[in-house]
Amino acid sequence: KSSEEILSYKNRVVLLDLETREIDNFINKYKDYEVNFKKIDRLFIDLQNPINFIKFLEKTASVSNVDIDINLIPPQKGNIGNSSSVVFKVLVNGEFLNILNFTKKLETGLYLIRIQNLTMEKSLGSREISTSQDLSSSSVVGSGGNLKANFLIEAISDKS
């Protein structure tokens, strides 16, 4: 039994030595990693004050040449205080290609988001028709008319 204990002790010592070297290695390289840690931190929104995310949406809309209206969706009753994300209803008006550009900029932007839902309507004067046809068809893209896009965007926070 004592030889098993000695072997077990030696294995633990070797494991601790390996873990200590890994920790030392991480500490030595922390400065290299720190830049990426800061970038990761910026991916998440502040649930208490999502103003920077809203500014990002507004700037992205302006650059994409679309009009935007942003509304915060209140959390469901059971999720208040427990949520690690927030949902925005974002209404965008503009040309199809500009809305597409806006969407691409959202997907490759500064924040970790998920587009939960996207619906589009083609505006014809004062009346609107829901488009169930392929949005890449020439009647939508080439029409030069405005579309209304309705996004549900979930923005992720770092709250754990």
Side-chain angles (χ1 to χ4, degrees), residues 42-108:
R42 288 191 302 257
L43 288 173
F44 302 103
I45 70 159
D46 179 359
L47 286 177
Q48 302 303 314
N49 187 13
I51 193 71
N52 288 334
F53 179 68
I54 293 170
K55 286 180 181 179
F56 163 74
L57 290 174
E58 290 172 340
K59 182 179 178 185
T60 302
S62 177
V63 168
S64 301
N65 198 29
V66 295
D67 297 323
I68 191 169
D69 182 35
I70 304 165
N71 296 294
L72 179 64
I73 304 292
Q76 296 179 4
K77 290 182 182 179
N79 290 341
I80 295 174
N82 297 329
S83 183
S84 62
S85 65
V86 63
V87 178
F88 293 86
K89 182 177 182 178
V90 178
L91 304 171
V92 177
N93 292 307
E95 299 278 331
F96 174 77
L97 293 177
N98 293 343
I99 292 173
L100 186 62
N101 186 38
F102 173 78
T103 306
K104 286 180 183 178
K105 288 182 186 302
L106 286 181
E107 291 175 340
T108 59

Side-chain angles (χ1 to χ4, degrees), residues 106-132:
L106 286 181
E107 291 175 340
T108 59
L110 304 172
Y111 293 93
L112 185 57
I113 65 162
R114 183 175 69 133
I115 298 175
Q116 292 181 338
N117 191 13
L118 169 60
T119 57
M120 296 183 111
E121 296 177 337
K122 185 173 180 182
S123 296
L124 296 173
S126 62
R127 79 185 175 124
E128 297 164 3
I129 312 170
S130 285
T131 56
S132 59

Side-chain angles (χ1 to χ4, degrees), residues 4-26:
E4 288 177 10
E5 288 175 356
I6 293 172
L7 187 57
S8 173
Y9 176 76
K10 283 184 178 184
N11 286 338
R12 283 186 288 186
V13 169
V14 169
L15 182 62
L16 286 173
D17 184 51
L18 180 64
E19 289 175 347
T20 302
R21 279 189 267 150
E22 287 296 321
I23 290 171
D24 289 342
N25 186 31
F26 179 80

